[in-house]
Amino acid sequence: LSDGLLAKFSRELADRYGETRVVAELYGVEQLYRILGEGETRGDIVVDVVASSGAPIPCLAVGSQGSEFDTYLAALPATLLADAYERFGTRLLELNVRAFLGVRGRKSVNAGLRRTIINEPQHFLAYNNGIVATVDDIETVFLPDGGHAITRLAGLQIVNGGQTTASIHRARRQDGAKLDGILVPSKIIRVG
């Protein structure tokens, strides 16, 4: 902790304690004020899709008569989800009813996800049910063909698919899996 002005700093410690990952974070007075005064909220979770994936992600805007929600269907790159989980951790899953259940046992769902990521990444989109996420705000652009593409997600919460997200992150971090080309079916609902 510091009473000075600092950019947020986070560093993973090289030593591991069993299966526990340890991350050291340095907080300055502005971060402390936000945490102690207003508290970190899901609104602090902002994913710049273009910066993370290199381009806007094409999506299908799905309308529902009389609904106050906007819904989008997309195939999100696994790297985007792994990066978001790396940065925000379980804060992404605060509205999810289940936490990551591990990969113990050859028949667990998460072990199956891991095997697909490592051995059959080209089949991940077909084999996986994907995620359902809510956002407070979503920014899109129009594509030349008239479609939409996502550029930014604010207040992201993965309400279904926490196992998928954590398994993707774990496969990259612990198994060194390459996530390039892996797409995750996603339904994104703007609730804000």
Side-chain angles (χ1 to χ4, degrees):
L1 300 176
S2 170
D3 63 355
L5 296 175
L6 302 168
K8 187 165 182 184
F9 172 85
S10 179
R11 174 149 311 148
E12 181 156 346
L13 301 180
D15 295 333
R16 289 190 175 264
Y17 301 94
E19 292 289 316
T20 303
R21 178 176 155 230
V22 179
V23 177
E25 294 188 2
L26 183 60
Y27 286 88
V29 69
E30 289 179 336
Q31 291 89 359
L32 288 173
Y33 173 76
R34 190 178 73 242
I35 292 168
L36 298 173
E38 298 177 2
E40 285 190 340
T41 67
R42 71 176 191 228
D44 296 323
I45 298 175
V46 176
V47 176
D48 183 336
V49 172
V50 176
S52 181
S53 62
I57 296 173
C59 64
L60 175 64
V62 180
S64 180
Q65 282 188 332
S67 175
E68 69 255 36
F69 307 113
D70 296 326
T71 303
Y72 299 86
L73 303 176
L76 295 180
T79 53
L80 182 136
L81 291 174
D83 291 347
Y85 194 84
E86 179 73 26
R87 182 171 174 203
F88 300 109
T90 57
R91 289 183 55 215
L92 283 176
L93 310 176
E94 288 174 353
L95 297 181
N96 195 306
V97 295
R98 292 181 295 230
F100 182 61
L101 300 175
V103 291
R104 299 277 190 256
R106 294 181 55 211
K107 293 187 179 184
S108 80
V109 172
N110 295 337
L113 286 167
R114 180 175 164 262
R115 279 192 302 278
T116 301
I117 292 166
I118 294 168
N119 301 324
E120 301 177 82
Q122 72 279 11
H123 294 135
F124 193 87
L125 183 70
Y127 290 176
N128 187 267
N129 289 332
I131 68 166
V132 176
T134 61
V135 292
D136 295 328
D137 190 34
I138 184 169
E139 291 179 11
T140 61
V141 295
F142 285 106
L143 297 173
D145 66 1
H148 291 83
I150 301 167
T151 59
R152 183 175 174 272
L153 302 167
L156 177 64
Q157 284 291 292
I158 297 171
V159 297
N160 193 342
Q163 301 301 308
T164 295
T165 304
S167 292
I168 288 168
H169 177 262
R170 180 183 174 106
R172 181 174 73 180
R173 172 171 284 290
Q174 293 194 299
D175 301 320
K178 302 291 182 208
L179 303 180
D180 301 333
I182 296 177
L183 298 173
V184 181
S186 305
K187 177 169 70 170
I188 303 165
I189 306 161
R190 187 190 58 78
V191 296

